Amino acid sequence: MAYNNILVSVHDQHIGIVMLNRPKQLNALNPELMTELGAALLAFDADEQIGCIIITGNEKAFAAGADIPTMAQFDFAQVYKADFVTKNWETIRQIRKPVIAAVSGFALGGGCELAMMCDFIIAADNALFGQPEIKLGIIPGAGGTQRLPRAVGKSKAMDMILTARTMKAQEAQEAGLVSRVVSLEQLMPECLQAASTICGYSQLAVMAAKESVNRSFESSLSDGIMYERRLFHALFGTLDQKEGMDAFVNKRIPTFKNQ
Ligand code: DAK
C-alpha cells in the first residue's frame, strides 16, 4: 500500500516506526491516515523481524485529534450507518507486538485516544494531553471516556473531559497516563532504547505479557489471574524459557530464538 499520510521506516532491523505525517494539519487523523496506519501496523505485526513498533508525530503534534472538517460534514444517519471510522481506528487493538507512543506536542481528542491505545506512552516535556471534544458539541469517540479514567482515575478524567482542560507531560506522568517524560531531543532515543530492550527478549514472552496485561482491563481479578497463570505455564513449553533460565544459571547472556 502506498502511504500518503504516514512515513514508515525500520530502525536497526527490528523496530518498526510509523510517523504520522500531516504536519500542516497538526497530524489531524483523517480516515485515509487511519487506514494507512492500520495497514502499516498489520504489516509490522506480520513481519518476523519486527519486535516492537513506535508510533510518533512531529515536535509540534503527535496528533491534534480526528480531522474536524471531515467530521463536520457528517450527520447521524451517515455516521451510524457507516459505523464512522470504527473499523480503521480499531486495527491497533489487533496488534500483538508492543506498540510505544512517542508523544511530543499536542495529543488531543483522537490523538490522545490513539496514544492511549498504544501499550505505553513516552512523552517529551512539551507534550500536551487532552480530550477537548466537548468544545465541539461531541464527546470522545475512540475510547477516551473508557481508557482515560482507567489511566488517571475518575476525577481527573471527568475534569479533562467535561472542562476540556489539557494536561502537560509532567502531570500526565504523575497521573499514570505516561510512563516516562524526557526532553524533546531525547524522545526518539529513549523510545528506541525501550524498543531495543524489548526486542532483546523472547518475542513469545513479550507477546504473552502484553496479552496478559491487556486482559486485566477486560476481566475480573480472578479470571485475569487464571489467564495469566495459563500463559505463564504455557511459556514453559518454549525453548526461550529454557534458554533464559539456563543463561541465568550459567551466568551468561541469553540468546532468544523466539521459539
Ligand atoms: N482537525 C483538522 N485540522 C486541524 C485540527 C483537527 N483536529 N487541529 C488543528 N488543525 C489545523 C488547523 O485548522 C490549522 O489549519 P489551517 O488553518 O492552518 O489550514 C492547523 O491545523 C494549525 O492549527 P492552529 O492554527 O489552530 O494551531 P494553534 O497552534 O493555534 O492551535 C490547537 C493548536 C491544537 C490548540 C488547535 O488547532 C486546536 O484546538 N485543534 C483542535 C483540537 C481538537 O478539538 N481536537 C479534538 C477533535 S475531535 C472516533 C474516533 C476519533 C474521534 C471520534 C470518534 N471513532 C472511532 C468513532 C475523535 C474526535 C476528535 O478528535
Side-chain angles (χ1 to χ4, degrees):
M1 174 180 211
Y3 299 127
N4 300 314
N5 299 277
I6 58 173
L7 299 173
V8 175
S9 59
V10 174
H11 178 86
D12 216 8
Q13 294 174 51
H14 300 300
I15 303 169
I17 302 175
V18 181
M19 180 185 272
L20 310 177
N21 190 36
R22 297 185 75 212
K24 286 189 187 135
Q25 295 83 14
L26 302 180
N27 289 335
L29 303 165
N30 63 11
E32 294 74 31
L33 185 153
M34 292 310 294
T35 299
E36 292 176 16
L37 174 62
L41 292 174
L42 287 171
F44 279 145
D45 211 33
D47 185 338
E48 286 258 341
Q49 289 299 309
I50 297 297
C52 190
I53 302 164
I54 298 172
I55 302 178
T56 194
N58 56 53
E59 291 184 8
K60 192 166 180 203
F62 177 73
D67 192 80
I68 298 171
T70 303
M71 287 189 295
Q73 310 156 22
F74 295 151
D75 61 26
F76 170 76
Q78 281 173 306
V79 293
Y80 188 69
K81 280 196 288 186
D83 200 9
F84 166 51
V85 296
T86 297
K87 289 175 207 78
N88 54 15
W89 276 78
E90 296 281 300
T91 308
I92 188 169
R93 293 183 60 203
Q94 301 166 30
I95 305 303
R96 298 177 69 206
K97 293 172 184 168
V99 183
I100 302 172
V103 176
S104 46
F106 298 111
L108 301 179
C112 186
E113 291 170 307
L114 175 61
M116 289 192 288
M117 286 184 216
C118 296
D119 296 312
F120 62 99
I121 302 173
I122 299 181
D125 50 17
N126 76 335
L128 200 65
F129 297 87
Q131 298 288 167
E133 289 88 342
I134 202 90
K135 292 205 258 182
L136 301 170
I138 55 171
I139 66 170
T145 64
Q146 305 303 303
R147 292 194 180 92
L148 192 61
R150 284 167 168 81
V152 305
K154 175 184 165 185
S155 187
K156 205 176 269 284
M158 283 286 194
D159 182 2
M160 291 176 67
I161 290 167
L162 295 178
T163 71
R165 93 164 170 88
T166 52
M167 194 158 64
K168 290 184 180 162
Q170 199 57 46
E171 183 184 356
Q173 185 185 24
E174 283 157 17
L177 179 63
V178 159
S179 73
R180 314 180 194 181
V181 178
V182 295
S183 67
L184 190 52
E185 307 72 61
Q186 268 305 109
L187 180 64
M188 279 315 283
E190 186 82 13
C191 290
L192 289 169
Q193 183 57 56
S196 169
T197 301
I198 291 168
C199 290
Y201 298 132
S202 162
Q203 200 174 92
L204 296 167
V206 164
M207 286 165 64
K210 168 169 172 162
E211 201 174 320
S212 195
V213 171
N214 280 335
R215 191 71 179 195
S216 74
F217 294 98
E218 313 286 350
S219 60
S220 67
L221 182 60
S222 56
D223 285 350
I225 285 174
M226 182 57 74
Y227 193 81
E228 177 196 83
R229 199 59 34 85
R230 292 293 170 250
L231 285 175
F232 176 81
H233 288 159
L235 290 170
F236 282 74
T238 68
L239 294 178
D240 286 346
Q241 174 266 338
K242 307 281 175 285
E243 169 65 8
M245 294 194 181
D246 183 74
F248 179 84
V249 169
N250 291 299
K251 302 192 187 305
R252 62 176 178 82
I253 309 263
T255 308
F256 294 114
K257 296 205 165 63
N258 303 331
Q259 297 288 326

